[in-house]
Amino acid sequence: MQLLDRSFDVSTVPVAGATLSAEALRGVEQFLYREARLLDERRFAEWLALWTEDGRYWVPRFHDQANPFEQISLFWEDKMLREVRVRRVENARNWSQQPLTRSAHLVGNITIEGLDAAGHLIVRSTLQLTEWRIEQRQLAGAVFHKLAATDDGGWKIVLKRVNLVNCDDVFANLEVFI
């Protein structure tokens, strides 16, 4: 099973530096803003297309959690699990989405951290998320994206790690993606 593949590099510590032109940096920023907008507008099919085939979505349960294999995580999802969750969230009979979850992602403090061992770009940003369904809640944290360059000059997500400030809190349903 892909999720148990310990060879998948979950580290967000760069092994090499990365220098981007102002134009390339702007492209990375626009990519992160577009991802947030797709989530806010519930355009999940387009959001799923932002990922590499082996991309992983990870929300650790503990501060400074080293990996998703030795401790439980709030989310540790591959392509299949992301697709299943999208189908469930979009299903008209899904009681936990009546009313629908609404969200507003605020992405900021975008910095280029460097490159991982495979040459993927490591980008750190901060996130403030307001979410409403029956009541409003706030989530915040540091987000690490590992991005793979595409042939057309764009980006695909290899890893998205969301380090929530309150990761050790008790949460009601976390239905939609952070």
Side-chain angles (χ1 to χ4, degrees), residues 61-134:
R61 171 68 175 82
F62 301 98
H63 292 282
D64 302 318
Q65 187 171 333
N67 64 63
F69 307 112
E70 295 166 20
Q71 294 176 302
I72 194 164
S73 296
L74 296 173
F75 297 104
W76 174 238
E77 297 179 352
D78 61 3
K79 178 181 179 178
M80 182 189 70
L81 286 178
R82 287 190 307 273
E83 289 173 348
V84 167
R85 182 143 54 118
V86 165
R87 284 194 304 271
R88 183 175 45 76
V89 165
E90 290 182 332
N91 187 310
R93 293 183 165 185
N94 181 0
W95 66 269
S96 66
Q97 284 298 289
Q98 297 175 16
L100 295 176
T101 299
R102 307 263 186 247
S103 66
H105 291 72
L106 179 62
V107 177
N109 297 339
I110 299 169
T111 57
I112 304 302
E113 299 292 295
L115 301 173
D116 73 0
H120 299 126
L121 188 67
I122 301 171
V123 182
R124 183 189 188 281
S125 62
T126 54
L127 170 73
Q128 180 71 41
L129 169 63
T130 301
E131 186 182 86
W132 180 87
R133 194 174 77 77
I134 301 222

